[in-house]
Each structure stands twice: as structure tokens, then as C-alpha cells.
Amino acid sequence: MQFIWDWFRWLYQTTGINLTIFYDSFDRHRFTDGFLMTLKLSLICIVLSVLIGVVGAWLQGSKLRVTRHVLHWYIQFFRNTPPLVQLYFFYFGVGSLLRSSLGTGNQPLVSNVTWAIISLSFFAGAFNVEIFRSGVEAVPKTTLEAAESLGFSRLRAYALIVLPLAFRISLPALNNNLVNLVKTTTLAYAIAVPEMLYVSSQIWSDELNVPVMMNVLLVCYFGLVGVLVYVMHRWERAIKVPGFGA
Amino acid sequence: MPDSDARPIVSIRDMHKSFGHVEVLKGISMDVPKGGVVCIIGPSGSGKSTLLRCINALVPIDSGSIRVANFDVHSLTTDKERLALRREVSIVFQQYNLFPHKTALENVMMAPIYVLKEPRDEVRARAIALLKKVGLAAKQDAYPGELSGGQQQRVAIARSLAMRPEVMLFDEVTAALDPETVKEVLNTIRELAAEGMTCMLVTHEMRFARELADTVYFTDGGVIVESGPPAVLFDQPKADRTRAFLSQIL
Ligand SMILES: Nc1ncnc2c1ncn2[C@@H]1O[C@H](COP(=O)(O)OP(=O)(O)OP(=O)(O)O)[C@@H](O)[C@H]1O
Ligand SMILES: [Mg+2]
């Protein structure tokens, strides 16, 4: 490995391209941790937001008016406000409220990373509910009726028939939203979550290599989103069913 | 041959059903003996589909009674009770309504596995036998999108049979098919009837009704206008409305 790091040092000395994240072990660790934090945020939020979407789309068919109303306002709130404001709302608003009401003093009950995960998952989840709902609505009522006539309960029909079909219909829209989610994780910067953008800004204020770090960031996000898109497309192809959907 | 002395397996008394302010069924009564084959004919919108859907508890009725085997369909309330009913009576739709993400075999296997909770191997063997029975042994791994309309409809019949029902309801199951494939499906139903399955068919295939039915019901405007053995109903209809309908369609 050492010769790689040496090469980057040589690159800096000959061209001025200062990639401290390679040859400087402190920066290298900072950046790797940041990258892993972004990865962690992305993966956890993807899973949680998809779960919120699946459960939300199911609850939207609920017979209870209250449930449908709560869901409606949840979606309105998270869709019609900026995600950065939501993040502040959770971290500074709800977070300090919790602190003062539980009297824990300055000791935060919920870490900034957790708030970022909660906030971003709810944000992307609101869109996922809408995405899955349109998928669920595109499943013919008659298919559901056939399931019912065979004795499937509503929950079982949803899990085994409606959801798998709705998923296939929703995948393109879901792809877009998840790509957006990965890019939105950069907002966690604002509440000092040490993700990739945050550590990069620390590095460039120490090393004064702003343009280089900017390019590093672009390449990293491009790669990260590229992998996500690739995986989603592979999945889309794998679950494609002949004669269903386009 | 139906045993006319025994208690009817389906018994409907003065059944009423409205959608909103529109009364679609205005007092239907009929009895179907075990092993009997009845055909229900009538103009579009006369409530034939609704009648079948009521028997299967897909839509609740407003008044009157429906009895299928040992179930009072009109007073079922829980999912569990409805499930018990649906083991006895199964419906096949005009649009097949197969599960598009499952192969033909999986379509047939799903309800017995997930609803009846029967062991997979057993269900699989039975499903393969059923597909063979409807002439689709070679297509067990095909998805609905890869099958013709007639083939899909036969899979749908096999799927219903997998619940081992006592009564089969067919709602214009050949209406969406081209003439060539109609025959395949009718043959399947013909065999079922010959094996003693109780069948209730809504159909526009008058020749088929004449051949197969013990009793034909002519419905119009939410009531049964006239009923009787096919030879009587088709050749000497009593009501003017029946005559008018038959002259249009034959
Ligand atoms: N779920 C529903 N909600 C409201 N009205 C309905 C519903 N289902 C059926 N109807 C109405 O009930 C009437 C009878 O419908 P039904 O489908 O039973 O007729 P049908 O005899 O099967 O006609 P077709 O031969 O066209 O299939 C129609 O006027 C229809 O519009
Ligand atoms: Mg109909």
C-alpha cells in the first residue's frame, strides 16, 4: 500500500494536486470514516423509508378516517417543506424539547446521527408512500377480488399479491427517490453529522485544497449513486415478469 | 344426475341488493341441487354478476337469505367465516384475474398453501394434476402473460378447483375469448359437470346452456322472469320478455 500513498505524495509535489486523503494517514481515516458514515446513512434511510412507504401505502387503504388523515398530513408536511428545515426541526426543535422535558440537561437523548436518520427516512418515506400508493392503485381491483374470492385476507392479499405487483410498477419512481435520498444525506452536514461532505470541509479547511476535495466529492457521490442505480436496475430486471408492465 | 330429493346445496330466498339508490337485485329466489348445473341468462346489467358475487360473499346483501352447504352467507361477519364459505364455493371471472407475477402452477398452488395452510408437496402434486386435467400440463411454468386467453381461463378454473369447492360459479367465462378458444374452456366445464360438480354459470353461450343445464334462469331488471329446463325455456318461453331476449340473441 505504501507505494500508492507515496505516489500521491509525489503527485502533490510535482503537480500541486493535493490529495491528502491518500498520503496523509490522519486525513485518510477521517475521509474513510466520512465515506462510511454516508454509506451507513444511505443504507439505513433507504431501508427505513421503503418500510415507511410499504406500511403507509397499506394504511392509506385503511377503513379508519383518522389513520388516513394522519397519513395525509404526514405526507403534506414532509413533501411541502425543505428537508434542511425538517432536519433542524428534529435536531433543534424536537431534540431540545425532549432534553428539557426529560430534564437530561445538556446530555442529548438522541444523537445527531440518529436525528439525521429519522429525519431523512421520514422525508424520503413520505415520497415512497405516494410512490407505492400509485403502484397499489395500478393493480387491477379485479385481481384483488380474485384473491379475496380465494379466501385471502386483506393483509395477506396485500403482502403476496398487491405489493409484489405494485413494487414492479413503482420501481422507476422509487429509483429516482432513492437516488435523491442518497444525495440528500449531505444535509446531515448541517447538524454536524460526520458524513462525507462534513469531513471533506474539515479537510479542506486544514489543508486548503478546496478544489481538489470538491472533485473528490463529486467522484465519490457519482460512484455511490451509480452503484445504487446499477443494483436497482439489476433488481428491476430480475423481478420482471413476462407480460406484466411495459 | 342431480338428486332432487336431497336438500339443495345452494338456496336463495327473496334476496335484495342495492348499490346506493339503485336496486340491482329485487327479490331473487332459487335452489340448486347438489351436482346440478344451472345457467343464468339475461341482458347486460340485469344483475347476473352481482348475483354470483353475492353467493360468494364478495358483496354483502341487503335482505333475504343465501344458504350454501352449511353456511348462511347473509350472516357471515368475520374473515374466518368467509374463508370457510370460500372453501365450498369458488368463482371464475370473465377476465381470468390470474396473479400476473406467478406462474400457472404457482397461481394454482397459492390459495391452498397460504389460505388453507396445506403442505406444499401435497398441494404441488394436486396442482400439477389439476393443470393436467385442464389440458395445461406443459404450461405449468408459464406466466399468465405468456398464455392465451383460453389457457389463462383454464388456469383460473384449475386455481378455483384447487380449493376443492362443492360449488363452482362461472361468470361469463368465455365472453372475453375468441371463438376458437371458447371450446377449450367449455370442454373443461363440461367435464366438471359430468363429474358431478355443482355449477352455476352466467353465460351467453345458449347452445352450451341448452346442452348442459338442468335449469335455465332468465333474469331481467333484477328479477327472475322465468325459469325451467332448457328445452322448455328456449323452445316455449312463456314471458314476452324472454321471447324478446331470445329472439335477439339466437
Ligand atoms: N360495485 C358496484 N357499485 C355500483 N353499482 C354496481 C356495482 N356492481 C354492479 N353495479 C351495477 O349493478 C347493475 C348490475 O350489474 P351486474 O354486473 O350484476 O350486471 P350483469 O347482469 O352481470 O351485466 P353484464 O351482462 O353486462 O355482465 C349494473 O347497473 C351495474 O352498474
Ligand atoms: Mg356480468
Side-chain angles (χ1 to χ4, degrees), chain A residues 90-151:
Chain A
F90 275 106
Y91 184 63
F92 295 115
V94 182
S96 59
L97 211 69
L98 273 182
R99 261 204 307 271
S100 58
S101 67
L102 295 173
T104 54
N106 277 333
Q107 203 56 46
L109 213 63
V110 179
S111 74
N112 55 349
V113 175
T114 310
W115 278 127
I117 288 172
I118 291 172
S119 173
L120 290 170
S121 298
F122 274 121
F123 165 68
F127 287 88
N128 284 348
V129 173
E130 289 288 88
I131 288 168
F132 286 139
R133 190 195 55 170
S134 56
V136 166
E137 277 170 4
V139 175
K141 289 281 160 296
T142 50
T143 307
L144 196 58
E145 189 172 53
E148 196 188 336
S149 80
L150 289 167

Coordinates of all heavy atoms in Angstrom, one line a residue, chain A residues 90-151:
Chain A
F90 N -36.2 18.6 13.7 CA -36.0 17.5 14.6 C -34.8 17.7 15.5 O -35.0 17.5 16.7 CB -35.6 16.2 13.7 CG -36.9 15.5 13.2 CD1 -37.2 15.6 11.9 CD2 -37.7 14.8 14.1 CE1 -38.4 15.0 11.4 CE2 -38.8 14.1 13.6 CZ -39.2 14.3 12.3
Y91 N -33.7 18.2 15.0 CA -32.5 18.2 15.9 C -32.6 19.3 16.9 O -32.4 19.1 18.1 CB -31.3 18.5 15.0 CG -30.0 18.4 15.8 CD1 -29.6 17.3 16.5 CD2 -29.2 19.6 15.9 CE1 -28.4 17.2 17.2 CE2 -28.0 19.6 16.6 CZ -27.6 18.4 17.3 OH -26.5 18.4 18.0
F92 N -33.0 20.6 16.5 CA -33.0 21.7 17.4 C -34.4 21.7 18.1 O -34.5 22.0 19.3 CB -32.7 23.0 16.7 CG -31.3 23.0 16.2 CD1 -31.1 23.1 14.8 CD2 -30.2 23.0 17.1 CE1 -29.8 23.1 14.3 CE2 -28.9 23.0 16.6 CZ -28.7 23.1 15.2
G93 N -35.4 21.5 17.3 CA -36.8 21.6 17.9 C -37.1 20.5 18.8 O -37.1 20.6 20.0
V94 N -37.4 19.3 18.2 CA -37.8 18.2 18.9 C -36.7 17.7 19.9 O -37.0 17.4 21.1 CB -38.2 17.0 18.0 CG1 -38.7 15.8 18.8 CG2 -39.2 17.4 17.0
G95 N -35.5 17.8 19.5 CA -34.3 17.4 20.3 C -34.3 18.1 21.6 O -34.2 17.5 22.7
S96 N -34.3 19.5 21.5 CA -34.2 20.2 22.8 C -35.4 20.2 23.6 O -35.4 20.2 24.8 CB -33.9 21.7 22.4 OG -34.9 22.3 21.7
L97 N -36.6 20.0 22.9 CA -37.8 19.8 23.7 C -37.7 18.5 24.6 O -38.1 18.5 25.7 CB -39.0 19.6 22.7 CG -40.3 20.1 23.1 CD1 -40.3 21.7 23.3 CD2 -41.4 19.7 22.2
L98 N -37.2 17.5 23.9 CA -37.0 16.2 24.7 C -36.1 16.4 25.8 O -36.3 15.9 26.9 CB -36.4 15.1 23.7 CG -37.4 14.3 22.9 CD1 -36.6 13.3 22.0 CD2 -38.4 13.6 23.8
R99 N -35.0 17.2 25.6 CA -34.0 17.4 26.6 C -34.6 18.1 27.8 O -34.4 17.7 28.9 CB -32.8 18.2 26.1 CG -31.6 17.4 25.7 CD -30.3 18.1 25.7 NE -30.3 19.3 24.9 CZ -30.0 19.4 23.6 NH1 -29.7 18.3 22.9 NH2 -30.0 20.5 22.9
S100 N -35.3 19.2 27.5 CA -35.8 20.0 28.6 C -37.0 19.3 29.3 O -37.1 19.3 30.5 CB -36.3 21.4 28.1 OG -37.3 21.2 27.1
S101 N -37.8 18.6 28.5 CA -39.0 17.9 29.2 C -38.5 16.7 30.0 O -39.1 16.4 31.0 CB -40.0 17.5 28.2 OG -39.5 16.5 27.3
L102 N -37.4 16.1 29.6 CA -37.0 14.9 30.4 C -35.9 15.3 31.4 O -35.4 14.5 32.2 CB -36.5 13.8 29.4 CG -37.5 13.2 28.5 CD1 -36.9 12.3 27.5 CD2 -38.6 12.5 29.3
G103 N -35.5 16.6 31.3 CA -34.6 17.1 32.3 C -33.2 16.4 32.3 O -32.6 16.2 33.3
T104 N -32.7 16.1 31.1 CA -31.4 15.4 31.0 C -30.3 16.5 30.8 O -29.2 16.1 30.5 CB -31.4 14.5 29.8 OG1 -31.8 15.2 28.6 CG2 -32.3 13.3 30.0
G105 N -30.7 17.7 31.0 CA -29.7 18.8 30.9 C -29.1 18.9 29.5 O -29.9 18.9 28.5
N106 N -27.8 18.9 29.4 CA -27.2 19.1 28.1 C -26.9 17.8 27.4 O -26.4 17.7 26.3 CB -25.9 19.9 28.2 CG -26.2 21.4 28.2 OD1 -27.3 21.8 27.7 ND2 -25.4 22.2 28.9
Q107 N -27.2 16.7 28.1 CA -26.9 15.4 27.5 C -28.0 15.0 26.5 O -29.1 14.8 26.9 CB -26.9 14.4 28.7 CG -26.1 13.1 28.4 CD -24.7 13.4 28.0 OE1 -24.0 14.2 28.6 NE2 -24.3 12.8 26.9
P108 N -27.7 15.0 25.2 CA -28.7 14.7 24.3 C -29.1 13.3 24.4 O -28.3 12.4 24.5 CB -28.1 15.0 22.9 CG -26.6 14.9 23.1 CD -26.4 15.3 24.6
L109 N -30.5 13.1 24.3 CA -31.0 11.8 24.4 C -30.8 11.0 23.1 O -30.6 9.8 23.1 CB -32.5 11.9 24.7 CG -33.1 10.8 25.6 CD1 -32.5 10.8 27.0 CD2 -34.6 11.1 25.7
V110 N -31.0 11.7 22.0 CA -30.9 11.2 20.7 C -29.7 11.8 20.0 O -29.7 13.1 19.9 CB -32.2 11.4 19.9 CG1 -32.1 10.8 18.5 CG2 -33.4 10.8 20.7
S111 N -28.8 11.1 19.4 CA -27.6 11.6 18.8 C -28.0 12.3 17.5 O -29.0 12.1 16.9 CB -26.6 10.6 18.6 OG -27.0 9.8 17.5
N112 N -27.1 13.2 17.0 CA -27.3 13.9 15.8 C -27.4 12.9 14.6 O -28.2 13.1 13.7 CB -26.3 14.9 15.5 CG -24.9 14.4 15.6 OD1 -24.7 13.2 16.0 ND2 -23.9 15.2 15.1
V113 N -26.7 11.8 14.7 CA -26.7 10.8 13.6 C -28.1 10.2 13.6 O -28.8 10.0 12.5 CB -25.7 9.7 13.8 CG1 -25.9 8.6 12.8 CG2 -24.3 10.3 13.8
T114 N -28.7 9.9 14.8 CA -30.0 9.3 14.8 C -31.0 10.2 14.3 O -31.9 9.9 13.6 CB -30.3 8.9 16.3 OG1 -29.2 8.1 16.8 CG2 -31.6 8.1 16.4
W115 N -30.9 11.5 14.7 CA -31.9 12.5 14.2 C -31.8 12.6 12.7 O -32.8 12.7 12.0 CB -31.6 13.9 14.8 CG -32.2 14.1 16.1 CD1 -31.6 14.5 17.3 CD2 -33.6 13.8 16.5 NE1 -32.5 14.5 18.3 CE2 -33.7 14.1 17.9 CE3 -34.7 13.4 15.8 CZ2 -34.9 14.0 18.6 CZ3 -35.9 13.2 16.5 CH2 -36.0 13.5 17.9
A116 N -30.6 12.5 12.1 CA -30.5 12.6 10.7 C -31.2 11.4 10.0 O -31.9 11.5 9.1 CB -29.0 12.6 10.3
I117 N -31.0 10.2 10.6 CA -31.6 9.0 10.1 C -33.1 9.1 10.2 O -33.8 8.9 9.2 CB -31.1 7.8 10.9 CG1 -29.7 7.5 10.5 CG2 -32.0 6.6 10.6 CD1 -29.0 6.4 11.3
I118 N -33.6 9.6 11.3 CA -35.1 9.7 11.5 C -35.6 10.7 10.5 O -36.6 10.5 9.7 CB -35.4 10.2 12.9 CG1 -35.1 9.1 13.9 CG2 -36.9 10.6 13.0 CD1 -35.2 9.5 15.4
S119 N -35.0 11.9 10.4 CA -35.5 13.0 9.6 C -35.5 12.6 8.1 O -36.5 12.7 7.4 CB -34.6 14.2 9.9 OG -35.0 15.2 9.0
L120 N -34.3 12.1 7.7 CA -34.2 11.7 6.2 C -35.1 10.5 5.9 O -35.7 10.5 4.8 CB -32.8 11.4 5.9 CG -31.8 12.6 6.0 CD1 -30.3 12.1 5.8 CD2 -32.1 13.6 4.8
S121 N -35.3 9.6 6.8 CA -36.2 8.5 6.5 C -37.6 8.9 6.3 O -38.3 8.5 5.4 CB -36.1 7.4 7.6 OG -34.8 6.9 7.7
F122 N -38.0 9.8 7.2 CA -39.4 10.3 7.1 C -39.6 11.1 5.9 O -40.6 11.1 5.2 CB -39.8 11.1 8.4 CG -40.3 10.3 9.5 CD1 -39.7 10.3 10.7 CD2 -41.4 9.5 9.3 CE1 -40.1 9.6 11.8 CE2 -41.9 8.8 10.4 CZ -41.2 8.8 11.6
F123 N -38.5 11.9 5.5 CA -38.6 12.7 4.3 C -38.8 11.8 3.1 O -39.7 12.0 2.3 CB -37.3 13.5 4.2 CG -37.1 14.2 2.9 CD1 -37.9 15.2 2.4 CD2 -36.0 13.7 2.1 CE1 -37.7 15.7 1.2 CE2 -35.8 14.3 0.9 CZ -36.6 15.3 0.4
A124 N -37.9 10.9 2.9 CA -37.9 10.0 1.7 C -39.2 9.1 1.8 O -39.8 8.8 0.8 CB -36.7 9.2 1.6
G125 N -39.5 8.7 3.1 CA -40.6 7.8 3.3 C -41.9 8.4 2.8 O -42.8 7.8 2.2
A126 N -42.1 9.8 3.0 CA -43.3 10.4 2.6 C -43.5 10.3 1.0 O -44.6 10.0 0.6 CB -43.3 11.9 2.9
F127 N -42.4 10.4 0.3 CA -42.5 10.3 -1.1 C -42.7 8.8 -1.5 O -43.5 8.5 -2.4 CB -41.2 10.7 -1.8 CG -41.1 12.2 -1.8 CD1 -40.5 12.9 -0.7 CD2 -41.6 13.0 -2.8 CE1 -40.4 14.3 -0.7 CE2 -41.5 14.4 -2.8 CZ -40.9 15.0 -1.8
N128 N -42.1 7.9 -0.7 CA -42.3 6.5 -1.0 C -43.8 6.0 -0.8 O -44.2 5.2 -1.5 CB -41.4 5.6 -0.2 CG -40.0 5.7 -0.7 OD1 -39.7 6.1 -1.8 ND2 -39.0 5.1 0.1
V129 N -44.4 6.6 0.2 CA -45.8 6.3 0.4 C -46.6 6.6 -0.9 O -47.4 5.8 -1.4 CB -46.4 7.0 1.6 CG1 -47.9 6.8 1.7 CG2 -45.8 6.6 2.9
E130 N -46.4 7.8 -1.4 CA -47.1 8.3 -2.6 C -46.7 7.4 -3.8 O -47.6 7.0 -4.6 CB -46.7 9.7 -2.9 CG -47.3 10.7 -2.0 CD -48.8 10.9 -2.2 OE1 -49.5 10.1 -1.5 OE2 -49.2 11.7 -3.0
I131 N -45.4 7.0 -3.9 CA -45.0 6.2 -5.0 C -45.6 4.8 -4.9 O -46.2 4.3 -5.9 CB -43.4 6.0 -5.0 CG1 -42.8 7.4 -5.4 CG2 -43.0 4.9 -5.8 CD1 -41.3 7.5 -5.1
F132 N -45.6 4.2 -3.8 CA -46.2 2.9 -3.6 C -47.7 2.9 -3.8 O -48.4 2.0 -4.3 CB -45.9 2.2 -2.3 CG -44.5 1.7 -2.2 CD1 -43.7 1.9 -1.1 CD2 -43.9 1.1 -3.3 CE1 -42.4 1.5 -1.1 CE2 -42.6 0.7 -3.3 CZ -41.8 0.9 -2.2
R133 N -48.3 4.0 -3.3 CA -49.8 4.1 -3.4 C -50.2 4.1 -4.9 O -51.1 3.4 -5.3 CB -50.3 5.4 -2.8 CG -51.8 5.4 -2.7 CD -52.4 6.7 -2.4 NE -52.0 7.7 -3.4 CZ -52.5 8.9 -3.4 NH1 -53.5 9.2 -2.6 NH2 -52.1 9.7 -4.3
S134 N -49.5 4.9 -5.7 CA -49.9 4.9 -7.1 C -49.6 3.5 -7.7 O -50.4 3.0 -8.6 CB -49.2 6.0 -7.9 OG -47.8 5.8 -7.8
G135 N -48.6 2.8 -7.2 CA -48.4 1.4 -7.7 C -49.5 0.5 -7.2 O -50.1 -0.3 -8.0
V136 N -50.0 0.6 -6.0 CA -51.1 -0.2 -5.5 C -52.3 0.1 -6.2 O -53.1 -0.8 -6.6 CB -51.3 0.1 -4.0 CG1 -52.6 -0.4 -3.5 CG2 -50.1 -0.5 -3.1
E137 N -52.5 1.4 -6.6 CA -53.8 1.8 -7.3 C -53.7 1.2 -8.7 O -54.8 1.0 -9.3 CB -53.9 3.3 -7.3 CG -54.6 3.7 -6.0 CD -54.6 5.2 -5.9 OE1 -54.1 5.9 -6.8 OE2 -55.0 5.7 -4.8
A138 N -52.5 1.0 -9.2 CA -52.5 0.5 -10.6 C -52.7 -1.0 -10.7 O -52.9 -1.6 -11.8 CB -51.1 0.8 -11.2
V139 N -52.7 -1.7 -9.5 CA -53.1 -3.1 -9.5 C -54.6 -3.2 -9.7 O -55.3 -2.6 -9.0 CB -52.7 -3.8 -8.2 CG1 -53.1 -5.2 -8.2 CG2 -51.2 -3.7 -8.0
P140 N -55.0 -4.0 -10.8 CA -56.5 -4.0 -11.0 C -57.3 -4.5 -9.8 O -56.9 -5.5 -9.2 CB -56.6 -5.0 -12.2 CG -55.2 -5.1 -12.8 CD -54.2 -4.8 -11.7
K141 N -58.4 -3.8 -9.6 CA -59.3 -4.2 -8.5 C -59.7 -5.7 -8.7 O -59.9 -6.4 -7.7 CB -60.5 -3.4 -8.5 CG -60.3 -1.9 -8.1 CD -60.2 -1.8 -6.6 CE -59.5 -0.5 -6.1 NZ -58.1 -0.4 -6.6
T142 N -59.8 -6.1 -9.9 CA -60.3 -7.5 -10.2 C -59.3 -8.5 -9.7 O -59.7 -9.6 -9.3 CB -60.6 -7.6 -11.7 OG1 -59.5 -7.2 -12.4 CG2 -61.8 -6.9 -12.1
T143 N -58.0 -8.2 -9.8 CA -57.0 -9.1 -9.3 C -57.2 -9.3 -7.8 O -57.1 -10.4 -7.3 CB -55.6 -8.6 -9.6 OG1 -55.5 -8.3 -11.0 CG2 -54.5 -9.6 -9.2
L144 N -57.4 -8.2 -7.1 CA -57.6 -8.2 -5.7 C -58.9 -9.0 -5.3 O -58.9 -9.8 -4.4 CB -57.7 -6.8 -5.1 CG -57.6 -6.6 -3.6 CD1 -56.2 -7.2 -3.2 CD2 -57.7 -5.2 -3.3
E145 N -59.9 -8.8 -6.1 CA -61.2 -9.5 -5.9 C -61.0 -11.0 -6.1 O -61.5 -11.8 -5.3 CB -62.2 -9.0 -6.9 CG -63.6 -9.5 -6.6 CD -64.7 -8.9 -7.4 OE1 -64.5 -8.9 -8.7 OE2 -65.6 -8.3 -6.9
A146 N -60.2 -11.4 -7.1 CA -59.9 -12.8 -7.3 C -59.2 -13.4 -6.0 O -59.5 -14.5 -5.6 CB -59.0 -13.0 -8.5
A147 N -58.3 -12.6 -5.4 CA -57.6 -13.1 -4.2 C -58.6 -13.3 -3.1 O -58.6 -14.3 -2.4 CB -56.5 -12.1 -3.8
E148 N -59.5 -12.3 -3.0 CA -60.5 -12.3 -1.9 C -61.4 -13.5 -2.1 O -61.7 -14.2 -1.2 CB -61.3 -11.0 -2.0 CG -62.1 -10.8 -0.7 CD -63.1 -9.6 -0.9 OE1 -62.8 -8.7 -1.8 OE2 -64.1 -9.6 -0.2
S149 N -61.8 -13.8 -3.4 CA -62.7 -14.9 -3.6 C -62.0 -16.3 -3.3 O -62.7 -17.3 -3.1 CB -63.2 -14.9 -5.1 OG -62.2 -15.4 -5.9
L150 N -60.7 -16.3 -3.3 CA -59.9 -17.5 -2.9 C -59.7 -17.6 -1.4 O -59.0 -18.5 -0.9 CB -58.6 -17.6 -3.7 CG -58.8 -17.8 -5.2 CD1 -57.4 -17.6 -5.9 CD2 -59.2 -19.3 -5.4
G151 N -60.2 -16.6 -0.7 CA -60.1 -16.7 0.8 C -58.9 -15.9 1.4 O -58.7 -16.0 2.6

